[in-house]
Amino acid sequence: MLSGSPVTRRRALALFIGTALTSISAGVAAIAGRFLWGKPPAGSAAGRAISVGKLDELPALADPVERSISVNRLDGYFSETRRERIFLWRDGSTLRAFSSTCTHLGCAVSWDPGSRLFRCPCHGGLYRPDGTVAGGPPPRPLEDLPIEIRQGEIFVRGMDRA
Ligand code: FES
């Protein structure tokens, strides 16, 4: 096919350039589409609802309760499903859900029942049961996750990241 004639080389070059431009255009369109119409930001009320248990399993005024959930993560073209921890905290009639991700540099916090604080092992960040900062470098409270209750079952949204 590519016998060396100018017309054939010209056609081959045009085909190569056309294919390259089509690939580049598709890539740019995919990136623009994700930017313009991508998934909702973390903590958004939209997105997949993940069941985290029954409401009557959570005693009022108790310490925060840890739950492990399966979340979807998309990083560029790489997607994965992995387990992450969240905390549910019920204070009287108020039910809240917190991400376990420290707002300083992203380490996972744990609940310390002795001090009644969430503790971050990386730089000593401390959070109160309501997620507010009690000490250390975290700049913001723990992420407050949108929740909904349907027929006695608790659902959390906003954990999938795109
Ligand atoms: S990552 Fe938690 S205090 Fe730094």
Side-chain angles (χ1 to χ4, degrees), residues 1-52:
M1 290 289 275
L2 300 174
S3 64
S5 75
V7 174
T8 302
R9 266 187 273 151
R10 204 173 289 140
R11 288 199 69 207
L13 184 60
L15 184 64
F16 172 76
I17 291 173
T19 302
L21 288 176
T22 302
S23 298
I24 292 170
S25 299
V28 169
I31 292 168
R34 284 199 58 77
F35 178 74
L36 295 173
W37 300 288
K39 289 188 175 180
S44 164
R48 187 169 61 104
I50 302 170
S51 174
V52 291

Side-chain angles (χ1 to χ4, degrees), residues 101-109 119-127 135-139:
T101 302
C102 180
T103 59
H104 180 223
L105 293 177
C107 293
V109 302
R119 291 184 177 277
C120 179
C122 293
H123 312 103
L126 300 171
Y127 300 88

